[in-house]
Amino acid sequence: MRFVVAGVCASLALFLLAGTDQAGEKDKVKYSISEVMLKAHKGGLLNKVAAGKGDKADAEKLLDFYIALAKNKPPEGDAESWKRFTMGMVAAAKVALEGGPEAGKRLKSAVNCSACHKLHKG
């Protein structure tokens, strides 16, 4: 009888541990802040899309980067401020994906590097 109870407890523990591992994967952010900065900003993707020289895939990739950026926690500063900055970038990237005469201008305006870095860069 002890072996049955021990087996049931072990199975239950294994099931619970496997469930928490999967939950951790859902919360994992696709790109870190540094990856977004390197690939989207220093890599030139932002400038390419804002100048209208990128294609739809470039705009989609930029939007993907900014969505991931918004899911990250800021290294410093207020989380609400971080949310305002990053969600503005997401909204501008969506406009850039749809296109239009003001899309690049709006994107450049939403991505205010110095203001964000002043409040949030660790």
Side-chain angles (χ1 to χ4, degrees):
M1 184 68 174
R2 274 189 248 155
F3 293 112
V4 172
V5 172
V8 169
C9 288
S11 298
L12 182 59
L14 182 62
F15 176 75
L16 290 174
L17 287 174
T20 56
D21 186 43
Q22 290 174 353
E25 287 296 315
K26 289 179 185 175
D27 293 339
K28 189 176 178 183
V29 179
K30 191 171 183 178
Y31 301 106
S32 70
I33 295 170
S34 341
E35 287 176 308
V36 173
M37 294 299 123
L38 285 172
K39 294 176 181 176
H41 295 176
K42 290 186 179 180
L45 184 61
L46 168 64
N47 291 330
K48 184 177 180 182
V49 173
K53 296 179 180 176
D55 57 13
K56 187 172 180 164
D58 291 327
E60 287 172 346
K61 188 69 173 174
L62 187 65
L63 176 60
D64 194 33
F65 281 134
Y66 288 161
I67 289 171
L69 185 65
K71 290 180 182 179
N72 278 282
K73 292 181 182 175
E76 286 185 6
D78 181 39
E80 196 59 36
S81 169
W82 177 261
K83 185 177 177 180
R84 278 192 308 273
F85 275 115
T86 58
M87 293 312 291
M89 294 164 73
V90 169
K94 286 179 180 177
V95 170
L97 181 60
E98 294 168 5
E102 297 292 315
K105 192 176 191 181
R106 183 169 177 182
L107 188 58
K108 280 296 212 176
S109 175
V111 181
N112 187 341
C113 299
S114 61
C116 189
H117 285 194
K118 184 177 179 182
L119 296 173
H120 299 293
K121 189 172 181 182

